[in-house]
Amino acid sequence: MTQDVILVLDCGATNVRAIAIDSQGNVIAKESTLNTSEPDKTNPHWHIWSLDAILERLVGCCRVIIPKLSGHKIHAITVTTFGVDGTLVDAKGNLLYPIISWKCPRTTPIVENIDRYFSAEQLQTISGVGQFNFNTLYKLIWLKENYPTLFDKAHAWLFISSLINYRLTGVMSTDRTMAGTSQLLNIHHEQFSEAILDAISISENLFPKLVSASEQIGILAPEAAKKLNLPLGIPVISSGHDTQFALFGSGTGLNQPILSSGTWEILMVRTPYVNTRILPHYSGSTCELDAKEGLFNPGLQWLASGVLEWIRLLFWKDIPPSEAYRQMIHEASSVPPGSNNLRMNCRLLTSRAGWCGTTLNTERRHFYRAALEALGYQLKQNLSLLEKISGFHAKELVLVGGGSRNHLWNQIKADILNLPIKVLNEAETTVLGASFFAWAGAGCYKSPEKAREQFSYHYELYTPGEHQKTYDSLAQDSIQE
Protein backbone atom coordinates (compact mmCIF):
# COMPACT_ATOMS: atom_id res chain seq x y z
CA MET A 1 0.00 0.00 0.00
CA THR A 2 1.42 3.37 -1.03
CA GLN A 3 1.85 5.89 1.80
CA ASP A 4 1.84 9.63 1.12
CA VAL A 5 4.55 11.95 2.43
CA ILE A 6 5.31 15.66 2.27
CA LEU A 7 8.78 16.65 1.10
CA VAL A 8 10.06 19.65 3.09
CA LEU A 9 13.06 21.48 1.64
CA ASP A 10 14.56 23.30 4.62
CA CYS A 11 17.22 25.88 3.77
CA GLY A 12 18.86 27.00 6.99
CA ALA A 13 21.83 29.27 7.50
CA THR A 14 24.09 26.38 8.58
CA ASN A 15 22.40 23.34 7.02
CA VAL A 16 20.30 22.52 3.97
CA ARG A 17 17.97 19.56 4.41
CA ALA A 18 15.43 17.45 2.58
CA ILE A 19 12.97 15.71 4.91
CA ALA A 20 10.04 13.43 4.06
CA ILE A 21 7.24 13.46 6.66
CA ASP A 22 4.14 11.31 6.76
CA SER A 23 0.63 12.43 7.74
CA GLN A 24 1.24 11.61 11.42
CA GLY A 25 4.30 13.85 11.56
CA ASN A 26 6.80 10.98 11.48
CA VAL A 27 10.09 11.59 9.70
CA ILE A 28 10.37 8.87 7.05
CA ALA A 29 13.69 9.94 5.56
CA LYS A 30 16.01 12.91 5.81
CA GLU A 31 19.36 14.12 4.59
CA SER A 32 21.32 17.26 5.36
CA THR A 33 24.45 18.99 4.22
CA LEU A 34 26.32 22.05 5.38
CA ASN A 35 25.27 25.44 4.09
CA THR A 36 27.40 28.55 4.17
CA SER A 37 27.52 32.05 2.79
CA GLU A 38 30.40 33.23 0.64
CA PRO A 39 32.58 36.35 0.73
CA ASP A 40 31.56 38.98 -1.79
CA LYS A 41 34.21 39.41 -4.47
CA THR A 42 33.92 43.19 -4.20
CA ASN A 43 34.61 43.20 -0.44
CA PRO A 44 35.93 40.20 1.55
CA HIS A 45 34.14 41.42 4.70
CA TRP A 46 30.74 41.20 3.00
CA HIS A 47 28.65 38.03 2.76
CA ILE A 48 26.46 36.69 -0.05
CA TRP A 49 24.56 33.49 -0.77
CA SER A 50 25.04 31.48 -3.93
CA LEU A 51 21.59 30.40 -5.10
CA ASP A 52 23.10 27.81 -7.44
CA ALA A 53 25.11 26.31 -4.55
CA ILE A 54 22.01 26.16 -2.32
CA LEU A 55 20.02 24.47 -5.08
CA GLU A 56 22.77 21.93 -5.69
CA ARG A 57 22.82 21.13 -1.98
CA LEU A 58 19.06 20.59 -2.01
CA VAL A 59 19.35 18.40 -5.10
CA GLY A 60 22.05 16.32 -3.41
CA CYS A 61 19.89 15.83 -0.31
CA CYS A 62 16.87 14.84 -2.37
CA ARG A 63 18.82 12.32 -4.41
CA VAL A 64 19.91 10.63 -1.15
CA ILE A 65 16.44 10.28 0.35
CA ILE A 66 14.37 9.50 -2.76
CA PRO A 67 15.62 5.86 -2.93
CA LYS A 68 14.55 5.50 0.72
CA LEU A 69 10.95 6.38 -0.17
CA SER A 70 10.08 3.16 -1.97
CA GLY A 71 6.40 2.53 -1.30
CA HIS A 72 5.79 6.21 -0.58
CA LYS A 73 4.26 8.87 -2.80
CA ILE A 74 5.38 12.49 -2.47
CA HIS A 75 2.05 14.27 -2.15
CA ALA A 76 3.46 17.84 -2.12
CA ILE A 77 6.65 19.85 -1.72
CA THR A 78 7.13 22.90 0.49
CA VAL A 79 10.10 25.20 1.11
CA THR A 80 11.05 26.88 4.39
CA THR A 81 14.04 29.19 4.86
CA PHE A 82 15.59 31.91 6.99
CA GLY A 83 14.02 35.34 6.48
CA VAL A 84 14.79 38.78 5.01
CA ASP A 85 17.29 37.76 2.30
CA GLY A 86 16.52 37.94 -1.40
CA THR A 87 17.44 39.86 -4.54
CA LEU A 88 16.28 41.58 -7.71
CA VAL A 89 15.56 39.39 -10.74
CA ASP A 90 14.68 39.99 -14.37
CA ALA A 91 11.58 38.62 -16.10
CA LYS A 92 13.27 35.23 -16.60
CA GLY A 93 14.24 34.94 -12.94
CA ASN A 94 17.92 35.69 -13.50
CA LEU A 95 19.61 37.34 -10.53
CA LEU A 96 20.58 40.95 -11.16
CA TYR A 97 22.72 41.09 -8.01
CA PRO A 98 23.98 38.42 -5.58
CA ILE A 99 21.80 37.58 -2.57
CA ILE A 100 23.10 39.73 0.30
CA SER A 101 23.32 37.55 3.41
CA TRP A 102 21.77 38.53 6.73
CA LYS A 103 25.32 38.21 8.10
CA CYS A 104 26.62 41.01 5.86
CA PRO A 105 27.55 44.30 7.62
CA ARG A 106 27.23 46.51 4.53
CA THR A 107 23.78 47.76 5.58
CA THR A 108 24.82 48.93 9.07
CA PRO A 109 25.33 52.58 7.97
CA ILE A 110 21.86 52.51 6.38
CA VAL A 111 20.29 51.55 9.71
CA GLU A 112 22.23 54.21 11.56
CA ASN A 113 20.97 56.88 9.16
CA ILE A 114 17.48 55.59 8.42
CA ASP A 115 15.92 58.87 9.58
CA ARG A 116 16.98 60.28 6.21
CA TYR A 117 14.13 58.23 4.79
CA PHE A 118 11.74 57.51 7.61
CA SER A 119 11.42 57.82 11.37
CA ALA A 120 12.83 54.65 12.96
CA GLU A 121 10.05 54.68 15.56
CA GLN A 122 7.37 55.06 12.91
CA LEU A 123 8.93 52.27 10.84
CA GLN A 124 8.50 49.77 13.65
CA THR A 125 5.05 51.06 14.52
CA ILE A 126 3.91 50.37 10.95
CA SER A 127 5.89 47.22 10.17
CA GLY A 128 6.25 45.68 13.62
CA VAL A 129 9.78 44.56 12.75
CA GLY A 130 12.68 45.75 14.91
CA GLN A 131 15.68 47.76 13.77
CA PHE A 132 17.92 44.89 12.63
CA ASN A 133 20.61 45.70 10.08
CA PHE A 134 19.76 42.59 8.03
CA ASN A 135 16.18 43.69 7.28
CA THR A 136 15.12 43.60 3.63
CA LEU A 137 14.33 47.32 3.76
CA TYR A 138 17.99 48.22 4.31
CA LYS A 139 19.18 45.91 1.53
CA LEU A 140 16.84 47.62 -0.92
CA ILE A 141 18.04 51.06 0.19
CA TRP A 142 21.66 49.94 -0.15
CA LEU A 143 20.99 48.71 -3.69
CA LYS A 144 19.16 51.95 -4.50
CA GLU A 145 22.09 54.04 -3.30
CA ASN A 146 24.82 51.93 -4.90
CA TYR A 147 23.25 50.31 -7.98
CA PRO A 148 20.19 52.43 -8.88
CA THR A 149 20.11 51.28 -12.53
CA LEU A 150 19.34 47.71 -11.44
CA PHE A 151 15.82 48.79 -10.61
CA ASP A 152 15.26 49.81 -14.22
CA LYS A 153 16.04 46.22 -15.26
CA ALA A 154 14.28 44.52 -12.37
CA HIS A 155 11.09 42.58 -12.92
CA ALA A 156 10.72 41.57 -9.26
CA TRP A 157 12.25 41.22 -5.83
CA LEU A 158 12.18 37.58 -4.72
CA PHE A 159 12.87 36.42 -1.19
CA ILE A 160 15.09 33.38 -0.92
CA SER A 161 12.18 30.95 -0.46
CA SER A 162 10.55 32.44 -3.56
CA LEU A 163 13.80 32.12 -5.51
CA ILE A 164 13.81 28.40 -4.73
CA ASN A 165 10.07 28.09 -5.45
CA TYR A 166 10.58 29.82 -8.81
CA ARG A 167 13.26 27.30 -9.76
CA LEU A 168 10.85 24.53 -8.79
CA THR A 169 7.75 25.84 -10.56
CA GLY A 170 8.58 28.75 -12.87
CA VAL A 171 6.07 30.85 -10.90
CA MET A 172 7.08 34.07 -9.13
CA SER A 173 5.43 34.61 -5.77
CA THR A 174 6.00 36.21 -2.38
CA ASP A 175 5.61 34.01 0.70
CA ARG A 176 3.55 36.04 3.14
CA THR A 177 5.62 35.07 6.18
CA MET A 178 8.83 36.08 4.39
CA ALA A 179 7.37 39.49 3.60
CA GLY A 180 6.48 39.74 7.28
CA THR A 181 10.20 39.79 8.15
CA SER A 182 11.10 42.56 5.70
CA GLN A 183 10.14 45.78 7.54
CA LEU A 184 8.26 46.73 4.37
CA LEU A 185 4.71 45.77 5.38
CA ASN A 186 1.93 47.50 7.19
CA ILE A 187 1.66 44.57 9.54
CA HIS A 188 -1.89 45.36 10.65
CA HIS A 189 -3.12 45.44 7.04
CA GLU A 190 -0.89 42.47 6.09
CA GLN A 191 0.11 44.29 2.91
CA PHE A 192 3.12 46.24 1.70
CA SER A 193 3.12 49.71 3.23
CA GLU A 194 2.56 52.48 0.71
CA ALA A 195 4.17 54.98 3.10
CA ILE A 196 7.36 52.94 3.55
CA LEU A 197 7.70 52.11 -0.15
CA ASP A 198 7.08 55.74 -1.16
CA ALA A 199 9.81 56.87 1.24
CA ILE A 200 12.39 54.68 -0.55
CA SER A 201 10.92 55.25 -4.03
CA ILE A 202 10.00 51.63 -4.72
CA SER A 203 6.79 50.43 -6.32
CA GLU A 204 4.67 47.69 -4.79
CA ASN A 205 4.66 46.15 -8.27
CA LEU A 206 8.24 45.02 -7.59
CA PHE A 207 6.82 42.29 -5.35
CA PRO A 208 4.89 39.36 -6.84
CA LYS A 209 1.53 38.37 -5.39
CA LEU A 210 1.53 37.50 -1.70
CA VAL A 211 0.68 33.86 -1.08
CA SER A 212 -0.33 32.56 2.31
CA ALA A 213 0.98 29.39 3.89
CA SER A 214 -0.85 26.32 2.48
CA GLU A 215 -1.62 28.04 -0.87
CA GLN A 216 -0.39 26.20 -3.94
CA ILE A 217 2.30 28.13 -5.81
CA GLY A 218 2.48 25.84 -8.81
CA ILE A 219 3.41 22.39 -10.07
CA LEU A 220 6.90 20.92 -10.07
CA ALA A 221 8.37 21.82 -13.45
CA PRO A 222 9.96 19.14 -15.71
CA GLU A 223 13.52 20.48 -15.41
CA ALA A 224 13.30 20.64 -11.61
CA ALA A 225 11.72 17.18 -11.43
CA LYS A 226 14.59 15.74 -13.46
CA LYS A 227 17.24 17.32 -11.24
CA LEU A 228 15.55 16.22 -8.04
CA ASN A 229 14.84 12.73 -9.40
CA LEU A 230 11.11 13.24 -8.74
CA PRO A 231 8.00 12.53 -10.80
CA LEU A 232 6.27 15.32 -12.69
CA GLY A 233 3.21 17.18 -11.45
CA ILE A 234 3.87 17.35 -7.71
CA PRO A 235 2.18 20.43 -6.17
CA VAL A 236 4.49 23.00 -4.55
CA ILE A 237 2.80 24.53 -1.49
CA SER A 238 3.79 27.81 0.13
CA SER A 239 5.29 27.90 3.61
CA GLY A 240 8.11 30.43 4.09
CA HIS A 241 9.96 31.85 7.10
CA ASP A 242 11.25 29.11 9.40
CA THR A 243 10.43 30.95 12.66
CA GLN A 244 6.69 30.98 12.00
CA PHE A 245 6.56 27.29 11.17
CA ALA A 246 8.70 26.40 14.18
CA LEU A 247 6.13 28.21 16.34
CA PHE A 248 3.22 26.33 14.80
CA GLY A 249 5.15 23.08 14.75
CA SER A 250 5.88 23.38 18.46
CA GLY A 251 2.20 22.77 19.17
CA THR A 252 1.61 26.11 20.88
CA GLY A 253 -1.83 27.68 20.73
CA LEU A 254 -2.91 31.29 20.85
CA ASN A 255 -1.50 33.42 23.68
CA GLN A 256 0.75 30.55 24.77
CA PRO A 257 4.31 31.97 24.87
CA ILE A 258 7.27 29.95 23.69
CA LEU A 259 10.93 30.51 24.48
CA SER A 260 13.65 29.38 22.11
CA SER A 261 16.68 29.14 24.35
CA GLY A 262 20.12 29.25 22.79
CA THR A 263 22.99 31.73 22.41
CA TRP A 264 20.13 34.23 22.30
CA GLU A 265 16.80 33.66 23.97
CA ILE A 266 13.86 34.52 21.72
CA LEU A 267 10.48 34.84 23.42
CA MET A 268 7.48 34.88 21.09
CA VAL A 269 3.75 34.28 21.10
CA ARG A 270 1.01 33.60 18.56
CA THR A 271 -1.66 36.21 19.15
CA PRO A 272 -4.51 38.07 17.41
CA TYR A 273 -3.47 41.41 18.94
CA VAL A 274 -0.29 43.46 19.11
CA ASN A 275 0.31 47.07 20.13
CA THR A 276 3.07 48.04 17.71
CA ARG A 277 3.10 51.62 19.02
CA ILE A 278 4.95 50.55 22.15
CA LEU A 279 7.37 48.14 20.43
CA PRO A 280 10.00 50.82 19.60
CA HIS A 281 10.44 51.52 23.33
CA TYR A 282 11.82 48.04 24.01
CA SER A 283 15.24 46.93 22.82
CA GLY A 284 15.23 43.62 20.96
CA SER A 285 11.50 43.79 20.21
CA THR A 286 9.94 42.74 16.93
CA CYS A 287 6.70 41.49 15.45
CA GLU A 288 6.22 39.29 12.39
CA LEU A 289 3.17 37.85 10.68
CA ASP A 290 2.09 34.45 11.97
CA ALA A 291 1.77 31.55 9.55
CA LYS A 292 -2.02 31.96 9.88
CA GLU A 293 -3.69 35.04 8.45
CA GLY A 294 -4.98 37.52 11.03
CA LEU A 295 -2.42 36.50 13.65
CA PHE A 296 0.89 38.02 14.74
CA ASN A 297 4.14 36.85 16.34
CA PRO A 298 5.49 39.61 18.60
CA GLY A 299 8.72 38.78 20.37
CA LEU A 300 11.72 39.90 22.35
CA GLN A 301 15.29 38.63 22.21
CA TRP A 302 18.33 38.95 24.46
CA LEU A 303 21.73 37.37 24.95
CA ALA A 304 21.44 34.23 27.06
CA SER A 305 23.54 31.08 26.62
CA GLY A 306 26.22 33.33 25.16
CA VAL A 307 26.59 34.71 28.69
CA LEU A 308 26.89 31.21 30.14
CA GLU A 309 29.48 30.26 27.55
CA TRP A 310 31.52 33.32 28.57
CA ILE A 311 31.43 32.09 32.19
CA ARG A 312 32.48 28.60 31.10
CA LEU A 313 35.50 30.04 29.32
CA LEU A 314 36.43 32.03 32.43
CA PHE A 315 36.26 29.21 34.97
CA TRP A 316 36.05 25.86 33.15
CA LYS A 317 38.19 26.63 30.10
CA ASP A 318 40.37 23.51 30.10
CA ILE A 319 37.48 21.05 30.31
CA PRO A 320 35.62 19.79 27.21
CA PRO A 321 32.36 21.77 26.90
CA SER A 322 29.94 18.87 27.43
CA GLU A 323 31.75 17.75 30.59
CA ALA A 324 32.22 21.35 31.74
CA TYR A 325 28.48 22.05 31.63
CA ARG A 326 27.76 18.91 33.63
CA GLN A 327 30.22 20.13 36.28
CA MET A 328 28.81 23.65 36.19
CA ILE A 329 25.25 22.45 36.72
CA HIS A 330 26.32 20.04 39.47
CA GLU A 331 28.32 22.68 41.36
CA ALA A 332 25.67 25.41 40.97
CA SER A 333 22.98 23.05 42.28
CA SER A 334 24.66 23.21 45.70
CA VAL A 335 24.34 27.01 45.83
CA PRO A 336 21.19 28.33 47.53
CA PRO A 337 18.82 30.72 45.75
CA GLY A 338 20.29 34.22 45.73
CA SER A 339 23.82 32.89 45.11
CA ASN A 340 25.05 34.14 48.49
CA ASN A 341 24.09 37.72 47.48
CA LEU A 342 26.13 37.62 44.26
CA ARG A 343 24.20 39.33 41.50
CA MET A 344 24.82 39.84 37.81
CA ASN A 345 23.52 42.56 35.56
CA CYS A 346 22.89 40.38 32.51
CA ARG A 347 22.71 43.25 30.05
CA LEU A 348 26.25 42.53 28.96
CA LEU A 349 25.93 44.64 25.85
CA THR A 350 25.68 47.85 27.88
CA SER A 351 28.13 49.83 29.98
CA ARG A 352 26.10 48.93 33.10
CA ALA A 353 27.03 45.26 32.87
CA GLY A 354 28.81 43.74 35.85
CA TRP A 355 28.65 41.93 39.15
CA CYS A 356 28.02 42.98 42.71
CA GLY A 357 28.19 41.10 46.00
CA THR A 358 31.49 39.30 45.48
CA THR A 359 33.40 38.33 48.62
CA LEU A 360 36.48 36.30 49.48
CA ASN A 361 34.13 33.31 49.76
CA THR A 362 32.74 33.66 46.25
CA GLU A 363 33.49 30.62 44.08
CA ARG A 364 32.97 29.84 40.41
CA ARG A 365 29.77 27.94 41.20
CA HIS A 366 28.29 31.16 42.58
CA PHE A 367 29.03 33.02 39.36
CA TYR A 368 27.27 30.39 37.29
CA ARG A 369 24.24 30.20 39.58
CA ALA A 370 24.01 33.99 39.71
CA ALA A 371 24.05 34.13 35.90
CA LEU A 372 21.25 31.57 35.63
CA GLU A 373 19.19 33.55 38.10
CA ALA A 374 19.85 36.91 36.43
CA LEU A 375 18.79 35.45 33.08
CA GLY A 376 15.69 34.06 34.79
CA TYR A 377 14.76 37.52 36.02
CA GLN A 378 15.46 38.90 32.54
CA LEU A 379 12.99 36.34 31.19
CA LYS A 380 10.41 37.35 33.80
CA GLN A 381 10.73 41.00 32.87
CA ASN A 382 10.47 40.28 29.15
CA LEU A 383 7.50 37.96 29.57
CA SER A 384 5.75 40.78 31.41
CA LEU A 385 6.56 43.12 28.50
CA LEU A 386 5.27 40.59 25.97
CA GLU A 387 2.03 40.29 27.93
CA LYS A 388 1.72 44.09 27.82
CA ILE A 389 2.46 44.23 24.07
CA SER A 390 -0.19 41.65 23.23
CA GLY A 391 -2.69 41.92 26.08
CA PHE A 392 -2.59 38.34 27.36
CA HIS A 393 -1.73 36.59 30.63
CA ALA A 394 0.64 33.63 30.42
CA LYS A 395 -0.45 30.44 32.16
CA GLU A 396 2.61 28.41 31.17
CA LEU A 397 5.75 28.66 29.05
CA VAL A 398 6.87 26.22 26.35
CA LEU A 399 10.63 25.86 26.07
CA VAL A 400 12.65 24.65 23.07
CA GLY A 401 16.29 24.85 21.97
CA GLY A 402 19.67 23.90 23.38
CA GLY A 403 19.19 25.80 26.63
CA SER A 404 16.18 23.62 27.46
CA ARG A 405 18.53 20.70 28.17
CA ASN A 406 19.77 22.47 31.32
CA HIS A 407 17.52 21.04 34.06
CA LEU A 408 18.78 23.45 36.73
CA TRP A 409 18.11 26.48 34.55
CA ASN A 410 14.65 25.12 33.67
CA GLN A 411 13.75 24.80 37.35
CA ILE A 412 15.10 28.27 38.15
CA LYS A 413 12.93 29.68 35.35
CA ALA A 414 9.84 27.90 36.69
CA ASP A 415 10.52 29.19 40.21
CA ILE A 416 11.21 32.79 39.17
CA LEU A 417 8.23 32.96 36.78
CA ASN A 418 5.98 31.03 39.16
CA LEU A 419 4.70 29.23 36.07
CA PRO A 420 4.87 25.68 34.74
CA ILE A 421 7.64 25.19 32.17
CA LYS A 422 6.95 22.63 29.43
CA VAL A 423 10.13 21.46 27.67
CA LEU A 424 9.27 20.09 24.25
CA ASN A 425 11.00 16.83 23.36
CA GLU A 426 10.90 17.45 19.63
CA ALA A 427 13.70 18.87 17.51
CA GLU A 428 11.98 19.14 14.11
CA THR A 429 9.43 21.86 14.88
CA THR A 430 10.14 23.89 11.73
CA VAL A 431 9.69 21.06 9.25
CA LEU A 432 6.73 19.73 11.24
CA GLY A 433 4.99 23.09 11.05
CA ALA A 434 5.70 23.45 7.33
CA SER A 435 4.42 19.92 6.67
CA PHE A 436 1.14 20.62 8.52
CA PHE A 437 0.43 23.55 6.22
CA ALA A 438 1.45 21.52 3.17
CA TRP A 439 -0.91 18.67 4.11
CA ALA A 440 -3.74 21.19 4.41
CA GLY A 441 -2.77 22.88 1.15
CA ALA A 442 -2.72 19.54 -0.63
CA GLY A 443 -6.30 18.90 0.50
CA CYS A 444 -5.58 16.06 2.92
CA TYR A 445 -6.82 17.96 5.97
CA LYS A 446 -9.31 20.80 6.36
CA SER A 447 -6.73 22.96 8.12
CA PRO A 448 -3.14 22.93 9.41
CA GLU A 449 -4.59 22.54 12.90
CA LYS A 450 -6.33 19.31 11.85
CA ALA A 451 -3.03 18.06 10.42
CA ARG A 452 -1.26 18.99 13.65
CA GLU A 453 -3.77 16.98 15.69
CA GLN A 454 -2.34 13.81 14.14
CA PHE A 455 1.01 14.37 15.88
CA SER A 456 1.64 13.38 19.50
CA TYR A 457 3.65 15.94 21.47
CA HIS A 458 5.72 14.98 24.49
CA TYR A 459 6.88 17.43 27.13
CA GLU A 460 8.99 17.39 30.27
CA LEU A 461 7.27 19.43 32.95
CA TYR A 462 8.92 21.75 35.49
CA THR A 463 6.61 23.26 38.11
CA PRO A 464 7.39 26.04 40.62
CA GLY A 465 9.05 24.41 43.62
CA GLU A 466 10.24 25.09 47.14
CA HIS A 467 12.38 28.07 46.09
CA GLN A 468 9.60 29.99 44.33
CA LYS A 469 8.78 32.20 47.34
CA THR A 470 12.47 32.85 47.95
CA TYR A 471 12.85 34.13 44.40
CA ASP A 472 9.76 36.27 44.82
CA SER A 473 11.34 37.98 47.80
CA LEU A 474 14.59 38.51 45.89
CA ALA A 475 12.87 39.75 42.73
CA GLN A 476 13.02 43.48 43.32
CA ASP A 477 16.76 43.37 43.95
CA SER A 478 17.47 41.01 41.08
CA ILE A 479 15.54 42.48 38.14
CA GLN A 480 17.97 44.68 36.24
CA GLU A 481 16.69 47.89 34.71
Side-chain angles (χ1 to χ4, degrees):
M1 178 177 174
T2 301
Q3 183 180 8
D4 285 355
V5 295
I6 294 292
L7 179 61
V8 180
L9 303 182
D10 178 27
C11 176
T14 56
N15 292 282
V16 162
R17 306 187 299 165
I19 302 181
I21 298 183
D22 71 13
S23 58
Q24 283 74 50
N26 300 308
V27 174
I28 303 301
K30 66 178 178 179
E31 179 66 19
S32 68
T33 189
L34 293 177
N35 195 25
T36 183
S37 59
E38 301 175 1
D40 193 324
K41 293 178 181 178
T42 61
N43 186 325
H45 300 292
W46 292 352
H47 297 269
I48 61 172
W49 296 105
S50 167
L51 179 61
D52 287 340
I54 287 173
L55 291 168
E56 284 304 312
R57 290 164 189 148
L58 286 171
V59 166
C61 290
C62 286
R63 287 185 171 273
V64 170
I65 71 167
I66 298 307
K68 301 177 182 178
L69 297 177
S70 177
H72 296 80
K73 175 187 175 183
I74 296 176
H75 202 71
I77 298 171
T78 193
V79 176
T80 180
T81 70
F82 47 84
V84 305
D85 293 353
T87 194
L88 299 168
V89 299
D90 65 18
K92 295 183 178 179
N94 298 310
L95 276 59
L96 298 178
Y97 193 85
I99 304 167
I100 301 172
S101 169
W102 57 268
K103 295 183 281 187
C104 185
R106 76 180 77 190
T107 52
T108 300
I110 304 292
V111 183
E112 294 170 347
N113 296 285
I114 193 61
D115 283 340
R116 291 183 299 145
Y117 294 93
F118 216 93
S119 158
E121 181 174 338
Q122 191 65 10
L123 264 178
Q124 189 168 12
T125 299
I126 294 172
S127 71
V129 177
Q131 300 296 110
F132 307 119
N133 76 291
F134 47 68
N135 292 348
T136 313
L137 169 66
Y138 309 127
K139 294 183 174 71
L140 284 167
I141 292 174
W142 187 89
L143 287 169
K144 269 278 187 180
E145 292 182 352
N146 292 273
Y147 296 92
T149 59
L150 290 181
F151 289 83
D152 298 328
K153 307 173 186 176
H155 178 75
W157 169 277
L158 296 182
F159 292 96
I160 194 161
S161 64
S162 295
L163 288 165
I164 297 171
N165 285 327
Y166 177 75
R167 295 292 182 92
L168 294 176
T169 65
V171 178
M172 291 190 185
S173 60
T174 302
D175 285 319
R176 173 180 162 279
T177 56
M178 295 294 287
T181 71
S182 67
Q183 209 174 21
L184 295 166
L185 296 194
N186 182 316
I187 196 167
H188 294 287
H189 295 165
E190 302 191 29
Q191 295 291 333
F192 285 98
S193 165
E194 182 178 350
I196 295 174
L197 293 181
D198 283 351
I200 61 174
S201 302
I202 286 179
S203 169
E204 185 177 350
N205 294 331
L206 188 65
F207 305 95
K209 177 187 174 183
L210 282 171
V211 292
S212 296
S214 78
E215 283 190 46
Q216 181 173 310
I217 295 170
I219 299 295
L220 188 65
E223 184 178 351
K226 182 178 180 181
K227 285 186 177 180
L228 295 169
N229 196 27
L230 294 174
L232 296 173
I234 300 175
V236 177
I237 307 295
S238 172
S239 51
H241 186 220
D242 49 17
T243 297
Q244 275 59 57
F245 298 94
L247 281 172
F248 191 84
S250 71
T252 54
L254 297 186
N255 296 327
Q256 184 179 23
I258 180 169
L259 180 70
S260 177
S261 183
T263 300
W264 291 79
E265 292 207 317
I266 304 172
L267 178 67
M268 301 190 83
V269 68
R270 304 182 64 231
T271 178
Y273 170 78
V274 60
N275 183 352
T276 58
R277 292 186 180 277
I278 64 176
L279 284 177
H281 303 298
Y282 303 119
S283 176
S285 68
T286 196
C287 183
E288 298 169 355
L289 290 177
D290 186 73
K292 294 281 289 184
E293 292 185 32
L295 298 178
F296 310 99
N297 298 152
L300 296 153
Q301 65 181 49
W302 62 97
L303 193 62
S305 292
V307 177
L308 306 180
E309 178 66 4
W310 171 67
I311 292 172
R312 180 187 71 82
L313 292 173
L314 280 178
F315 298 113
W316 286 269
K317 184 176 181 179
D318 297 326
I319 303 173
S322 59
E323 177 59 29
Y325 274 106
R326 281 193 290 270
Q327 288 189 24
M328 293 161 73
I329 293 169
H330 176 73
E331 292 178 27
S333 296
S334 66
V335 178
S339 304
N340 289 8
N341 296 318
L342 178 66
R343 290 181 296 170
M344 184 191 81
N345 183 334
C346 60
R347 295 186 181 274
L348 295 182
L349 301 183
T350 74
S351 59
R352 297 181 62 191
W355 302 81
C356 63
T358 56
T359 71
L360 294 177
N361 294 319
T362 302
E363 302 173 14
R364 64 182 187 178
R365 60 190 179 125
H366 297 104
F367 282 97
Y368 184 56
R369 176 87 186 210
L372 295 177
E373 292 175 343
L375 291 167
Y377 284 116
Q378 184 73 49
L379 169 60
K380 181 174 184 176
Q381 181 178 352
N382 285 335
L383 180 57
S384 177
L385 290 177
L386 190 61
E387 290 175 326
K388 180 180 179 181
I389 288 166
S390 290
F392 74 98
H393 181 67
K395 297 180 180 179
E396 62 183 14
L397 179 68
V398 175
L399 189 57
V400 298
S404 68
R405 295 192 291 269
N406 187 326
H407 66 86
L408 175 60
W409 197 9
N410 293 343
Q411 187 60 55
I412 288 172
K413 287 173 176 174
D415 291 340
I416 289 177
L417 293 179
N418 194 19
L419 287 175
I421 298 284
K422 292 169 60 177
V423 178
L424 179 61
N425 295 323
E426 174 55 54
E428 297 292 0
T429 54
T430 296
V431 295
L432 267 178
S435 74
F436 296 148
F437 279 85
W439 282 116
C444 298
Y445 294 100
K446 290 183 178 180
S447 68
E449 287 82 4
K450 289 294 184 183
R452 188 171 64 174
E453 287 175 5
Q454 312 309 308
F455 184 74
S456 297
Y457 288 93
H458 301 281
Y459 300 92
E460 184 178 1
L461 182 64
Y462 292 80
T463 57
E466 59 180 312
H467 299 313
Q468 183 266 315
K469 291 184 178 179
T470 303
Y471 282 120
D472 264 357
S473 66
L474 293 169
Q476 290 306 114
D477 292 331
S478 299
I479 294 177
Q480 303 297 322
E481 295 296 333

